[in-house]
Amino acid sequence: MVAEVTPPLPARQDVEASVQVIHDNAERLFLWDYERDRGQLVTLYNKAMGSQWNSVKDLDWSIEVDPERLVAEQESPILDVARVAGTLPGSPMAKWSEKEYSQLGIEFFKANLSQFMHGEQGAMMTAAKIVETVPWIDAKYYASTQTMDEARHTEVFAKYLRTKLGDAYPMSPFLKAQIWGLLEDPRWDIAYLGMQIVIESLALAAFGDMLRRIKEPLLKKLLRYVMSDEARHVAFGVLTLSEYYGDLSEAELLERQEFLVDATLNQRARATTPEVWDRLGTTGEAVLPFLLQAAEQMKTNLMGGFARGFFAKLVPNVRKLGLLDANNGWLRQRWGEAGLLEFEFADDTGSSTRRVRPFRSCGAVRPGCVASVLAVRDPSGEPEFEPFPSALRGTRHDSNVHETVRVSRHL
């Protein structure tokens, strides 16, 4: 009989390279009240349970993915700008052939998916924190379903990268700082505000932008599944925080408003993943001046469309939380100075929305009901999925509020 050999323990430096400790300062709450008295959260929880998808059975992982074709078939503003930047005098890309530009596109695509993967793990950990810290049993139940959703999202992005594209990129410093701050903050609602409202809006804008551009069938289906989950997560944040923020003092609300300013205005300059350029034999610092010059020459804003998609999702939800006008409009003034108030009713604009159906009894949410339910469309205009337009009918508090759910036509 051959004895089983136990593998040696990894060296400390190997452990530290693969694991990072985060110190959470929030208190864990064990509840004795099991009464299900928040009807909208009960409905959302039931919808989440019935909408779980299987990453093994529901996605066809046998589909072959050609990274060069994947990049060649999609619109890529950064590649268009890079090609023009390569023609400028003194450009580090002056001697690049189409092979290098194709590889640049692949590396940027891998970098984007890598941030999706890291962000989903951060969302999984944040949702788990909400399970432990939120003081309502209905919210704990729903947050547990979100934790499962985010685990599945992390799994599929990691699997797609590993089996179809290759090595992942490290987590961007911006994303890391955002998520670490949520996980370390002692206030349970900041985990909600930062993840469900800010980062989930950022993710929906990024996923929608990628879904709009790609043709590869496996990733398209994967993104549709992920986005259908994320739409529920945003709704969860709006439902819970709208109730909680109605009872906070002006000073406490100001802290939340300042958090939003820091997350949106003070950190709006986000560098691209520098390792992309390193793999192509140059540096981000070397190419940036030429990219900016090329973008100016082409009258192209590389982040313009994505940023608009982000704020079009974020600002209306913050309005629904009452944070725009709290403290005599403190946040409204600052976002107005930054030009973000044009998005205040982005989910209600007739040019970009269509009516689905009304839902009732939304009294728990002020002044509107809940985050818009998103419907993603392909370029032909046909809906690709419609994630749960009736998901949020509830019975929490009596109300005569009737609101038409509007669905984004162009993510």
Side-chain angles (χ1 to χ4, degrees):
M1 182 177 180
V2 179
E4 184 176 338
V5 178
T6 302
L9 292 174
R12 174 177 289 274
Q13 60 268 28
D14 295 330
V15 172
E16 292 176 348
S18 60
V19 175
Q20 184 157 356
V21 175
I22 302 172
H23 297 284
D24 187 354
N25 300 298
E27 294 181 339
R28 271 61 178 161
L29 302 180
F30 194 101
L31 306 184
W32 301 117
D33 183 1
Y34 293 91
E35 186 69 28
R36 308 295 302 278
D37 61 353
R38 287 175 169 79
Q40 290 179 295
L41 286 180
V42 172
T43 301
L44 192 61
Y45 171 72
N46 292 339
K47 176 62 69 174
M49 288 196 299
S51 303
Q52 297 293 309
W53 48 278
N54 189 308
S55 61
V56 176
K57 296 180 179 179
D58 294 329
L59 294 173
D60 184 2
W61 293 100
S62 68
I63 294 175
E64 295 289 337
V65 177
D66 180 349
E68 291 186 2
R69 180 179 177 182
L70 186 152
V71 170
E73 288 180 339
Q74 65 175 286
E75 297 178 10
S76 180
I78 183 63
L79 277 184
D80 294 339
V81 171
R83 287 187 173 93
V84 173
T87 66
L88 299 176
S91 171
M93 299 172 283
K95 296 183 179 180
W96 280 19
S97 67
E98 186 56 34
K99 179 180 179 181
E100 282 80 17
Y101 287 113
S102 176
Q103 189 60 39
L104 177 65
I106 293 171
E107 297 302 328
F108 267 120
F109 200 80
K110 288 163 61 177
N112 285 338
L113 283 184
S114 297
Q115 300 318 308
F116 293 172
M117 175 185 68
H118 297 309
E120 294 294 348
Q121 185 185 175
M124 175 179 67
M125 295 180 67
T126 304
K129 173 176 179 172
I130 291 172
V131 172
E132 295 181 319
T133 59
V134 68
W136 306 323
I137 196 67
D138 288 319
K140 284 183 181 291
Y141 289 161
Y142 183 82
S144 67
T145 71
Q146 181 178 345
T147 305
M148 182 64 241
D149 289 343
E150 308 295 11
R152 190 169 54 247
H153 300 172
T154 308
E155 173 206 351
V156 294
F157 282 125
K159 185 173 182 178
Y160 192 92
L161 275 165
R162 183 180 68 255
T163 63
K164 308 300 180 183
L165 295 179
D167 295 339
Y169 278 83
M171 194 177 199
S172 78
F174 168 78
L175 181 61
K176 182 177 180 180
Q178 289 276 294
I179 292 177
W180 261 236
L182 302 183
L183 294 175
E184 293 172 344
D185 199 291
R187 298 163 295 179
W188 65 265
D189 72 287
I190 292 298
Y192 266 98
L193 186 60
M195 180 55 65
Q196 317 295 85
I197 305 301
V198 177
I199 295 179
E200 294 281 16
S201 297
L202 193 70
L204 279 169
F207 296 157
D209 179 66
M210 180 173 287
L211 181 62
R212 212 174 35 240
R213 292 187 288 107
I214 64 170
K215 296 182 179 180
E216 197 282 293
L218 172 58
L219 187 55
K220 283 182 76 73
K221 189 173 184 180
L222 184 159
L223 287 170
R224 291 184 197 124
Y225 276 130
V226 170
M227 292 182 72
S228 68
D229 293 338
E230 304 293 10
R232 291 195 308 272
H233 303 165
V234 175
F236 174 47
V238 173
L239 284 172
T240 305
L241 294 182
S242 295
E243 179 177 348
Y244 181 65
Y245 286 168
D247 296 325
L248 293 189
S249 67
E250 289 187 355
E252 290 170 322
L253 289 175
L254 181 59
E255 290 179 355
R256 277 71 181 170
Q257 292 173 311
E258 290 172 340
F259 173 87
L260 288 170
V261 166
D262 185 60
T264 55
L265 302 185
N266 298 343
Q267 303 192 49
R268 289 175 77 178
R270 301 164 188 161
T272 58
T273 308
E275 293 86 356
V276 167
W277 301 102
D278 296 340
R279 294 187 184 186
L280 271 296
T282 182
T283 65
E285 291 82 359
V287 301
L288 181 59
F290 297 94
L291 292 174
L292 294 176
Q293 184 179 343
E296 174 65 23
Q297 181 178 313
M298 299 168 66
K299 306 300 181 184
T300 297
N301 183 345
L302 289 176
M303 295 297 292
F306 168 76
R308 291 185 67 83
F310 168 47
F311 290 118
K313 292 168 179 58
L314 175 68
V315 178
N317 288 329
V318 171
R319 171 179 58 83
K320 293 168 186 176
L321 298 180
L323 290 177
L324 268 183
D325 293 312
N327 291 296
N328 298 315
W330 187 90
L331 181 59
R332 177 179 292 278
Q333 178 181 345
R334 278 143 188 84
W335 275 6
E337 292 168 354
L340 300 187
L341 291 185
E342 68 170 289
F343 303 106
E344 181 178 356
F345 298 99
D347 56 343
D348 293 325
T349 52
S351 62
S352 63
T353 61
R354 64 182 179 88
R355 292 180 184 272
V356 179
R357 69 175 86 174
F359 61 88
R360 298 174 173 83
S361 300
C362 299
V365 182
R366 300 174 301 272
C369 273
V370 75
S372 297
V373 181
L374 304 169
V376 179
R377 292 174 174 267
D378 66 18
S380 70
E382 293 301 316
E384 294 181 334
F385 75 81
E386 193 167 304
F388 327 122
S390 60
L392 297 169
R393 292 196 186 92
T395 58
R396 174 68 171 167
H397 306 301
D398 292 331
S399 174
N400 294 319
V401 176
H402 295 261
E403 181 170 318
T404 298
V405 183
R406 296 179 181 268
V407 179
S408 175
R409 200 180 276 277
H410 302 291
L411 281 173

